[in-house]
Amino acid sequence: MTERMDQSAARTLAYRPVQVTGQLAVGGLLLAGLAWVVRGVWEIRLAVAGEPAAGPPDQGNGVHRQLTSLEDSYHLVTSAGGVLVFLCAMLFLSWLFRLRDNARTLSGDTPKYAGIWVFLGWVVPVVNLWFPRGIVVDAFRSSAPGRRLPRSVEVWWALWLVGMITGVGIVSRDSTDRIIERAYTEGWPLLLSDAAVVAAAVAGAFAVHAVTAAQVERIRAQWTAGTQVPETV
């Protein structure tokens, strides 16, 4: 009996605290979503104001005209949003690493994706269409075998892809001046893309909560064999 308790305690010590990290990741995602709501408000203001007679900020051939006060404030909004997005990314990746490590301890199996893909999976073309989702799904299935994947994971990833493919997602390929030009000329498509990003952030928050809860439940169930439940995992 004592040996079994010692083994259970040793396994629990091998787990990395994931509950608080998950809560921080949820907060980071909601902050990123809020940043995109503010961006959307400024893009509506740009669309209502209309493009100046001088044309778009990027005049082509490396020539940029002086920004209006509204355009300048949009640059500030996007810069502040960039800081929040960076914070969100760090919190999310910290959570994902812990989730992945705990899943490996729970299952005893090698993760399907190498650790380097936790970072590179988001930026390498083509594989970024499914690797990040795959890492989350692999960790969930290793943590809670037999349980159905939370629907929020699929919704989060579908909306993330919409934002990425339309070019205004959290990982954007358009410059701020180019987005300003789009606000003047492609108002509704731009706002719909923004809405997808906000919805992805909210769905991502639900996904992180659901996946974390499943892993914590499994860890605590294993700890029960030692007749004591840890306060935090």
Side-chain angles (χ1 to χ4, degrees), residues 27 60 90 93 97 108 119 155 174 218:
M90 294 301 100
L93 291 175
F97 264 115
F119 288 111
V155 174
D174 284 343
R218 175 83 184 284

Side-chain angles (χ1 to χ4, degrees), residues 64-143:
H64 290 74
R65 65 165 170 78
Q66 185 174 357
L67 298 176
T68 66
S69 59
L70 182 57
E71 292 168 347
D72 194 47
S73 66
Y74 182 74
H75 273 266
L76 294 176
V77 165
T78 56
S79 295
V83 173
L84 291 179
V85 167
F86 177 78
L87 175 63
C88 170
M90 294 301 100
L91 293 173
F92 187 89
L93 291 175
S94 176
W95 167 78
L96 191 54
F97 264 115
R98 289 171 183 255
L99 183 82
R100 180 177 174 276
D101 288 347
N102 286 347
R104 177 171 50 193
T105 302
L106 283 165
S107 66
D109 297 330
T110 301
K112 182 177 179 181
Y113 300 89
I116 190 65
W117 290 114
V118 175
F119 288 111
L120 296 184
W122 300 90
V123 296
V124 175
V126 182
V127 301
N128 63 356
L129 297 177
W130 77 88
F131 268 35
R133 172 194 173 277
I135 293 170
V136 174
V137 171
D138 182 53
F140 174 82
R141 289 175 176 164
S142 295
S143 302

Side-chain angles (χ1 to χ4, degrees), residues 34-44 74 77-78 168 179 194:
L34 178 61
W36 243 254
V37 170
V38 175
R39 282 179 59 138
V41 170
W42 250 253
E43 287 158 7
I44 291 173
Y74 182 74
V77 165
T78 56
V168 293
I179 295 175
D194 288 341

Side-chain angles (χ1 to χ4, degrees), residues 27-62:
L29 284 162
L30 294 179
L31 281 175
L34 178 61
W36 243 254
V37 170
V38 175
R39 282 179 59 138
V41 170
W42 250 253
E43 287 158 7
I44 291 173
R45 293 181 63 193
L46 287 166
V48 170
E51 186 175 78
D58 186 351
Q59 304 277 292
N61 299 318

Side-chain angles (χ1 to χ4, degrees), residues 135-215:
I135 293 170
V136 174
V137 171
D138 182 53
F140 174 82
R141 289 175 176 164
S142 295
S143 302
R147 290 185 59 171
R148 183 176 180 180
L149 182 70
R151 185 170 298 176
S152 55
V153 174
E154 302 291 13
V155 174
W156 157 66
W157 191 245
L159 291 169
W160 170 271
L161 290 179
V162 169
M164 183 174 67
I165 292 171
T166 54
V168 293
I170 288 179
V171 180
S172 176
R173 62 177 177 268
D174 284 343
S175 67
T176 303
D177 283 346
R178 171 57 181 156
I179 295 175
I180 289 174
E181 182 180 349
R182 291 180 64 179
Y184 289 137
T185 61
E186 306 172 23
W188 282 112
L190 182 61
L191 290 175
L192 288 174
S193 298
D194 288 341
V197 174
V198 175
V202 174
F206 279 102
V208 169
H209 174 75
V211 173
T212 302
Q215 186 172 91

